[in-house]
Amino acid sequence: MSSSPSIVSSLANASQQITLYLGQSILIFGIIGGTLNLIVFLSLKTFRQSSCAFYLIIMSCVNIGQLVTGCLSRIMIVGYNIDWTQTSLFYCKSRWFFFQTFTLTSYACMCFAIIDQYLATSTYRRWQHWNNIKLAYCLCTVSFIFTILHGFPSIIYFNFTNLPTTNKLICTITNSVYQRYRTYGFNVFLAGALPVFTTVLFGSLAYRNVKHLASRTVPLVRRELDRQLTSMVLVQVVYISIAVVPYTTVIIIISNLDLQNKPILAAELQLAECLGAIIYYSYFATPFYIYICASKRFRQQLIYVLCRIHANYCRKPTRINNQISPESQMNSNTNKD
């Protein structure tokens, strides 16, 4: 029993170091990767006209937002012991609102993207008609409105309360019903089982379709784009299971245990929760790195966009009238990939 404080201190220090080094790396590389995703997707007409790429564009935007609002807050709280939620009621409420909004929007876009690729690679013509950019606009708008409305209860029920032991203000949920919903309805179902099940199911169907894509009479450029996007999102489907399941499992365990008189177990679970959260936030940071590993074509497009398009814009801000425009050159290069 005499060694209990030292064990708890060691576990707490491990949680702090993991958050500092891994958390900051995820934040920095995630923002860089998300920005590069947006540059590539928005620079090439091939992607701008693709409904699947549109979902990935929206997902890249909300992933950056999730890292800035969620991951950065965790780094400050656990890594630097600076908790802005204890000093500002506005930040206490808005942090969890943005966390839920960005999480659900990102998962919705991931599900839409893999379903879109399943429809795009389907042998049924009438299903392929659902693969269009207008529907993508509508689905993203509806999902964003839903996530905003879904986040409003967090603004109402997150408030300051006093810890009985230390008389210290903390930001927590003050409604027991909403607390149970957040644990099981949000963490387990909406941000856990539902996106994992949906992406794995339609990912398997899309993989089956893409294996027979070469035998179909579709334009070569469209076929290669479908292959590229399907391979990109399929690898991300595998990673979403790796990222979501551990964190969700730890949250359920912590929510169902009484840890008041078990400091060592509480510290161990805190360490497990810290590791799970780091893996969880890595989901929002890794799409760009998954894409460059999974798709040779994406690597070529990245080099082309950075070295040919934007580098030329920086070197030659004005072009001669009879010179080939960057847009036409970009499209011809993309069609050759």
Side-chain angles (χ1 to χ4, degrees):
M1 295 297 292
S2 60
S3 63
S4 176
S6 62
I7 295 175
V8 171
S9 178
S10 298
L11 292 171
N13 183 65
S15 299
Q16 184 181 34
Q17 297 304 312
I18 288 171
T19 302
L20 277 174
Y21 293 105
L22 294 182
Q24 289 179 138
S25 299
I26 286 172
L27 177 64
I28 294 170
F29 285 104
I31 292 175
I32 294 173
T35 304
L36 290 174
N37 269 343
L38 292 175
I39 291 174
V40 175
F41 288 140
L42 295 175
S43 297
L44 297 178
K45 187 177 181 180
T46 305
F47 287 131
R48 294 198 302 269
Q49 295 177 340
S50 168
S51 52
C52 180
F54 178 76
Y55 295 129
L56 300 183
I57 290 170
I58 301 300
M59 189 174 70
S60 297
C61 292
V62 296
N63 284 353
I64 293 174
Q66 178 70 301
L67 292 172
V68 171
T69 58
C71 186
L72 178 60
S73 296
R74 172 169 281 272
I75 292 170
M76 299 305 295
I77 294 170
V78 180
Y80 293 101
N81 294 317
I82 301 174
D83 192 350
W84 296 321
T85 63
Q86 294 180 355
T87 58
S88 170
L89 182 60
F90 171 79
Y91 191 80
C92 166
K93 293 174 177 290
S94 63
R95 182 198 176 202
W96 294 108
F97 170 80
F98 286 118
F99 177 87
Q100 294 182 64
T101 300
F102 290 145
T103 297
L104 293 182
T105 304
S106 179
Y107 288 163
C109 288
M110 186 67 238
C111 292
F112 293 152
I114 193 62
I115 294 173
D116 183 89
Q117 283 310 109
Y118 164 67
L119 296 174
T121 57
S122 174
T123 55
Y124 297 100
R125 292 284 184 136
R126 57 193 180 89
W127 287 9
Q128 294 176 23
H129 291 318
W130 293 97
N131 171 251
N132 63 81
I133 195 72
K134 291 183 179 180
L135 179 62
Y137 290 151
C138 294
L139 288 176
C140 286
T141 301
V142 171
S143 65
F144 193 63
I145 293 173
F146 169 78
T147 56
I148 290 176
L149 295 176
H150 175 272
F152 277 147
S154 64
I155 297 177
I156 299 172
Y157 295 121
F158 269 95
N159 289 290
F160 285 152
T161 57
N162 283 319
L163 275 177
T165 55
T166 61
N167 200 28
K168 184 180 180 181
L169 282 178
I170 61 169
C171 176
T172 187
I173 298 174
T174 54
N175 183 281
S176 60
V177 175
Y178 184 67
Q179 176 65 61
R180 287 194 296 272
Y181 166 76
R182 188 173 180 276
T183 300
Y184 298 102
F186 175 75
N187 286 323
V188 177
F189 182 69
L190 287 180
L194 182 60
V196 170
F197 174 78
T198 303
T199 53
V200 170
L201 173 62
F202 284 96
S204 303
L205 295 174
Y207 176 75
R208 185 192 65 181
N209 288 345
V210 82
K211 288 173 62 178
H212 305 288
L213 195 61
S215 60
R216 288 171 47 193
T217 56
V218 294
L220 179 61
V221 174
R222 172 63 185 273
R223 185 192 305 167
E224 291 304 313
L225 179 63
D226 285 338
R227 284 184 180 277
Q228 176 190 6
L229 291 173
T230 303
S231 64
M232 288 163 58
V233 296
L234 279 178
V235 178
Q236 201 169 355
V237 164
V238 176
Y239 194 79
I240 192 175
S241 303
I242 298 173
V244 171
V245 172
Y247 183 67
T248 304
T249 303
V250 174
I251 290 296
I252 295 174
I253 294 173
I254 293 176
S255 301
N256 288 278
L257 291 179
D258 184 8
L259 303 173
Q260 286 187 345
N261 299 319
K262 302 173 182 178
I264 295 179
L265 179 59
E268 290 172 343
L269 288 175
Q270 180 64 34
L271 177 60
E273 191 268 344
C274 179
L275 286 169
I278 292 298
I279 298 172
Y280 178 80
Y281 279 114
S282 71
Y283 163 79
F284 303 98
T286 54
F288 169 76
Y289 307 100
I290 289 175
Y291 301 157
I292 61 175
C293 292
S295 173
K296 178 182 177 181
R297 194 164 184 251
F298 186 82
R299 294 194 295 271
Q300 295 171 342
Q301 290 163 333
L302 172 67
I303 295 171
Y304 173 73
V305 167
L306 295 181
C307 298
R308 297 285 297 278
I309 298 179
H310 296 288
N312 287 341
Y313 281 151
C314 294
R315 287 197 299 265
K316 299 178 181 179
T318 59
R319 292 182 177 270
I320 303 174
N321 291 333
N322 61 358
Q323 191 173 0
I324 298 175
S325 67
E327 180 71 17
S328 60
Q329 185 180 7
M330 175 180 61
N331 291 338
S332 63
N333 183 279
T334 303
N335 292 336
K336 292 177 184 178
D337 288 340

